Amino acid sequence: MSIWIFFKLLGSLALLMFGMKSMSEALQKMAGPQLRHVLGAMTTNRFMGMLTGTLVTASVQSSTATTVMTVSFVNAGLLTLAQAISVIMGANIGTTLTAWIMSAGFSFNITDFVYPAFFIAIILIYYKQKRYIGDFLFGIAFMFLGLGTLRQTGIDMHLGENQAVLDFFSSFDPHSFGTTLIFLFLGGILTFCVQSSAAVMAITMILCSSGVLPIYQGIALVMGENIGTTVTSNLAAMSANTSARRAALAHMFFNVFGVIWILFIFRPFIDMVCGFVGYDVTMNKESAGSQAFLANAAKLNFVLAGFHTCFNVVNTFILIWFIPQIEKLVCWVIKPKKVDEEEDFRLHFITAGFMKTPELSVLEAQKEIRQFAVRIQRMFGMVRELLTEKDEKTFNQLFSRIEKYESISDHMELEIAKYLDEVSDAHLSDDTKAKIRAMLREISEIESIGDACYNIARTISRKYQGKQDHFNEKQYEHIHQMMELTDEALTQMNTLMGGRKDSYDVNRSFNIENEINNYRNQLKSQNISDINNHEYTYAVGTIYMDIVNECEKLGDYVVNVVEARMGTRQKYA
């Protein structure tokens, strides 16, 4: 029988975690873009940032999602690290709503209400426009089914009558500071192992409400959960960029500092929270009777939720005044990586293991593609330099850099495509699926721009190494003019990639493309005439037109990127 109860406990915890995950993801699908805009607009000062973090986290029931959004804004330069720290502080307050939901679920049997919710949810899922609401209802229903099953499992376990369990917890001196540290450490380890502070909170509530675990030790477990969840995010951020690692460290500092000061006023603070809830700390089973003792113990769920909220609110109130100092500290501890970003291949925004929310992963991929496009324009700038370079050593060094950039562009296309493929395996909204399809087209066309740049460079190198006759002054002038138009097309593309598409006039790119096409046709006709007039050799004219034609192809690829970004279907050849 005990084996079945054990598996019932594990299964109900799994239901709870799955329900919270489903609910959070459904909410982000319904309001993800709006939440990102709110996060970007409402962080004008530290207090607005804290309020925004609280509201967004309470809405999506995921402090991880809020933290990821915040870090992505820091990477994009939309938020400073100081603003991000204020949002993360708010996220710590917002996540305490979860404890209140769980304490309500443990206080009365809510499982009778979940079955109508399941029925309504499956109907809504079959309506295409309402399916995210259905997903959200499914998540809530699973969460409350898990909570109800946990509550019943806790009752069935009769922990308050299990002498072995009672003896185990009574072996710890309730008045010892060492006992508090042991349970603090235990809470951190458990949270790190199960990767869910909600699951450990649920176990703590079962133990406390059954009268087995004294409130002081229970709250020590809750404090350990706060640290355990930040250890996880810091380990995940180790492979991430500097901004992500600094934000994760600031999060850990916030929680560790809170635990340190709370230890100095541990019992008075808990007694204050117990007074708010109406829990009698001094009551014991022998003097009050079993029924009154269990009724009093039933309030412990609200004591735990109340402590969690009070702790984070007070901690935020203390630390919000020292955000600049916290920023300096994390910047001092985590120095930026010293790499030559122009020469070394490295994805700047996509970080394996750190992104946990598919809807938000798309935002990171968009910024990575923007960086890819910037790098490609830098490569084209090198090609323009190569055309006029006379020194052999400098020429060879520049050509080697272009070759390296071509290899980098191939790697970037593959890595971003692989990442998008992994994201697309998740359950995504239709808008996000469309974005992923567009982004896959974007990276393919940007990589083609890199190929075109390399082809131009090889053509220039072939002319240089073959010691062909030099272009005459008029040819150089025409090539420079063509490259100027091509570079302007790339600049317009990067303007679009770096901004909002609804504020971009797509006709700019189309007009430049028409100019490039018309100029290519003009030069093609003139080239035939110049060869016939013996102004230069046929071999020189061939190399000359190869460069011009490759620039025209590059312009076509640019327009294809613009169309993919704008969501149009036409494809230029």
Side-chain angles (χ1 to χ4, degrees), residues 269-455:
F269 193 88
I270 295 172
D271 292 343
M272 179 190 72
V273 175
C274 290
F276 290 155
V277 177
Y279 172 76
D280 187 354
V281 184
T282 60
M283 183 182 291
N284 57 63
K285 190 183 290 187
E286 290 75 19
S287 61
S290 179
Q291 191 171 354
F293 177 76
L294 289 175
N296 188 48
K299 297 176 184 176
L300 281 172
N301 297 328
F302 293 101
V303 173
L304 290 168
F307 170 82
H308 200 206
T309 302
C310 289
F311 166 73
N312 281 291
V313 168
V314 174
N315 200 29
T316 299
F317 181 77
I318 293 170
L319 288 176
I320 199 166
W321 308 101
F322 299 98
I323 285 177
Q325 288 75 19
I326 296 172
E327 181 185 20
K328 286 178 183 175
L329 175 66
V330 296
C331 289
W332 177 74
V333 173
I334 298 178
K335 303 287 194 300
K337 294 176 181 176
K338 293 182 179 179
V339 294
D340 184 350
E341 298 206 355
E342 284 197 12
E343 298 303 320
D344 289 329
F345 165 69
R346 182 170 65 90
L347 294 179
H348 291 248
F349 303 103
I350 292 173
T351 50
F354 187 65
M355 300 301 293
K356 295 184 178 179
T357 313
E359 294 284 334
L360 297 174
S361 300
V362 174
L363 186 68
E364 298 302 289
Q366 281 177 336
K367 290 201 294 296
E368 199 67 72
I369 293 171
R370 185 189 312 164
Q371 185 72 21
F372 188 11
V374 169
R375 190 184 290 271
I376 286 297
Q377 186 170 10
R378 196 182 299 145
M379 180 182 180
F380 184 71
M382 293 177 199
V383 174
R384 295 182 71 179
E385 288 179 39
L386 192 72
L387 180 67
T388 55
E389 184 56 56
K390 304 298 183 186
D391 181 71
E392 184 174 357
K393 182 180 178 183
T394 308
F395 184 95
N396 291 333
Q397 286 175 343
L398 195 55
F399 184 73
S400 295
R401 285 185 73 196
I402 293 169
E403 279 187 313
K404 190 169 187 179
Y405 263 63
E406 203 278 330
S407 176
I408 286 171
S409 72
D410 290 343
H411 280 299
M412 289 193 80
E413 181 195 16
L414 291 173
E415 289 297 318
I416 298 170
K418 179 183 174 184
Y419 182 75
L420 288 172
D421 186 52
E422 290 172 0
V423 173
S424 65
D425 288 339
H427 188 47
L428 301 167
S429 64
D430 289 341
D431 285 345
T432 304
K433 288 176 183 175
K435 281 180 187 174
I436 288 176
R437 286 194 296 271
M439 285 192 285
L440 285 169
R441 183 183 171 196
E442 285 170 23
I443 59 172
S444 173
E445 299 294 347
I446 292 172
E447 195 277 331
S448 295
I449 294 172
D451 289 342
C453 289
Y454 183 52
N455 289 338

Side-chain angles (χ1 to χ4, degrees), residues 169-170 172-181 183 213-220 223 258-276 279-283 303 307 310-311:
F169 286 109
S170 62
F172 295 97
D173 181 3
H175 303 290
S176 168
F177 182 70
T179 299
T180 303
L181 292 180
F183 278 86
L213 184 65
I215 184 60
Y216 298 110
Q217 281 89 305
I219 285 180
M223 288 160 55
V259 167
I260 290 171
W261 70 255
I262 203 74
L263 286 173
F264 286 100
I265 54 167
F266 188 59
R267 287 179 177 270
F269 193 88
I270 295 172
D271 292 343
M272 179 190 72
V273 175
C274 290
F276 290 155
Y279 172 76
D280 187 354
V281 184
T282 60
M283 183 182 291
V303 173
F307 170 82
C310 289
F311 166 73

Side-chain angles (χ1 to χ4, degrees), residues 143-293:
M143 184 178 73
F144 280 116
L145 181 62
L147 283 172
T149 312
L150 269 174
R151 173 181 175 272
Q152 190 56 49
T153 305
I155 294 170
D156 294 342
M157 289 170 77
H158 302 292
L159 290 172
E161 300 167 16
N162 189 317
Q163 197 58 45
V165 176
L166 288 169
D167 289 342
F168 173 76
F169 286 109
S170 62
S171 65
F172 295 97
D173 181 3
H175 303 290
S176 168
F177 182 70
T179 299
T180 303
L181 292 180
I182 288 170
F183 278 86
L184 177 71
F185 180 74
L186 189 61
I189 293 295
L190 281 172
T191 306
F192 176 73
C193 291
V194 300
Q195 297 280 296
S196 171
S197 57
V200 180
M201 176 68 84
I203 294 168
T204 308
M205 285 183 172
I206 289 176
L207 292 170
C208 286
S209 60
S210 63
V212 172
L213 184 65
I215 184 60
Y216 298 110
Q217 281 89 305
I219 285 180
L221 280 176
V222 172
M223 288 160 55
E225 292 159 21
N226 277 302
I227 295 176
T229 192
T230 62
V231 171
T232 303
S233 63
N234 271 273
L235 287 175
M238 282 178 70
S239 61
N241 53 46
T242 304
S243 297
R245 288 184 294 130
R246 285 173 175 171
L249 182 62
H251 191 196
M252 174 178 271
F253 174 82
F254 175 85
N255 283 356
V256 170
F257 177 83
V259 167
I260 290 171
W261 70 255
I262 203 74
L263 286 173
F264 286 100
I265 54 167
F266 188 59
R267 287 179 177 270
F269 193 88
I270 295 172
D271 292 343
M272 179 190 72
V273 175
C274 290
F276 290 155
V277 177
Y279 172 76
D280 187 354
V281 184
T282 60
M283 183 182 291
N284 57 63
K285 190 183 290 187
E286 290 75 19
S287 61
S290 179
Q291 191 171 354
F293 177 76

Side-chain angles (χ1 to χ4, degrees), residues 467-481:
K467 306 297 182 186
Q468 301 279 358
D469 293 336
H470 291 297
F471 294 140
N472 62 33
E473 190 176 328
K474 191 166 63 173
Q475 284 177 308
Y476 271 119
E477 185 182 330
H478 292 158
I479 293 173
H480 284 310
Q481 181 62 29

